[in-house]
Amino acid sequence: MNTDARLYQDLEGILYSREQINEAVCRIGKRITEDYEGREPVMVGILKGASIFFADLIREIDLPLSIDFMALSSYGNATRSSGVVRILKDLDRDIVDKDVLIVEDIVDSGLTLSHLQEVLATRGANSIRVAALLNKKLSDQSRKKLVPDYCCFEVPDKFVVGYGLDYAQKYRNLPDIGILARRIYEK
Ligand code: 5GP
């Protein structure tokens, strides 16, 4: 899909192109490979937003890793986190003594992931870290409950879509990351 495709007309602008995303994903894949040398991390993809990032990231990690997925309650069609985490799909395997790396699309307040980390910490993992595609820069930093250990980009406090991130289940298939035009979610 190129940038004159119909879906792009709902964007205020493109933040990161597919080439920039690819470069950043390779960069953090390399860092994870170095940091987890000698270990066999369990990569946990958070459905559905992280699916595309997850698929690209694990192929840049040169380790004997395993994968699993979780689905958490989402915003519905709203644009802010409720802070309440409901597990819609849990891990298939236990994580006792495992090095868990949660792969998420975007950290906004960090409420979702800090709650998830607390839940997973009770299950006996050796370590739990977070790799996020995006980390939102908030004007009120006291709202930030978690900073990802690995992150591709810092983004402004706007509603972003593409490369897996949706609005009302749409725009996940945009190959780039863009800011959704306000008229789309304010109508
Ligand atoms: P938090 O709990 O960190 O405030 O919110 C994290 C979740 O909110 C993300 O996993 C994502 O589903 C959703 N979210 C937060 N900001 C955005 C955004 O700008 N765009 C999209 N598509 N989802 C967002």
Side-chain angles (χ1 to χ4, degrees):
M1 193 189 306
N2 58 41
T3 53
D4 53 16
R6 196 170 13 169
L7 280 180
Y8 281 88
Q9 285 156 30
D10 293 347
L11 300 184
E12 253 169 35
I14 294 176
L15 271 180
Y16 294 104
S17 68
R18 57 201 88 183
E19 292 81 14
Q20 289 171 308
I21 297 169
N22 180 252
E23 225 169 81
V25 171
C26 290
R27 178 172 40 83
I28 70 163
K30 219 174 190 179
R31 270 188 51 211
I32 292 169
T33 303
E34 289 163 8
D35 293 354
Y36 285 79
E37 171 75 48
R39 292 190 275 172
E40 300 186 2
V42 180
M43 308 287 297
V44 175
I46 307 299
L47 298 170
K48 304 168 192 162
S51 55
I52 296 177
F53 173 46
F54 185 85
D56 285 344
L57 178 62
I58 59 170
R59 287 177 293 169
E60 297 301 332
I61 300 174
D62 184 13
L63 294 171
L65 55 78
S66 61
I67 67 171
D68 208 336
F69 295 96
M70 292 185 87
L72 309 173
S73 60
S74 72
Y75 289 3
N77 291 352
T79 57
R80 278 270 178 241
S81 178
S82 64
V84 179
V85 177
R86 204 155 53 89
I87 297 177
L88 305 177
K89 187 230 167 283
D90 209 334
L91 298 171
D92 291 336
R93 311 269 304 270
D94 76 62
I95 51 169
V96 177
D97 296 335
K98 303 284 188 196
D99 293 299
V100 175
L101 189 48
I102 301 169
V103 181
E104 175 62 306
D105 54 0
I106 183 164
V107 175
D108 182 1
S109 66
L111 270 175
T112 309
L113 284 188
S114 64
H115 285 198
L116 179 63
Q117 269 196 328
E118 278 170 27
V119 172
L120 296 186
T122 65
R123 300 187 186 179
N126 182 51
S127 67
I128 303 173
R129 285 190 186 166
V130 173
L133 172 67
L134 306 173
N135 185 30
K136 248 185 208 184
K137 272 184 268 174
L138 303 181
S139 45
D140 176 8
Q141 274 302 118
S142 66
R143 269 187 58 225
K144 204 52 129 190
K145 304 296 177 220
L146 176 139
V147 176
D149 302 283
Y150 303 94
C151 171
C152 290
F153 304 109
E154 300 279 332
V155 291
D157 195 359
K158 302 262 172 101
F159 198 77
V160 299
V161 293
Y163 195 67
L165 288 107
D166 76 313
Y167 173 67
Q169 299 304 324
K170 288 199 285 185
Y171 308 103
R172 294 194 199 276
N173 54 329
L174 279 173
D176 309 295
I177 298 169
I179 299 174
L180 188 64
R182 292 187 84 90
R183 65 183 154 78
I184 304 296
Y185 55 88
E186 286 185 347
K187 67 185 173 193

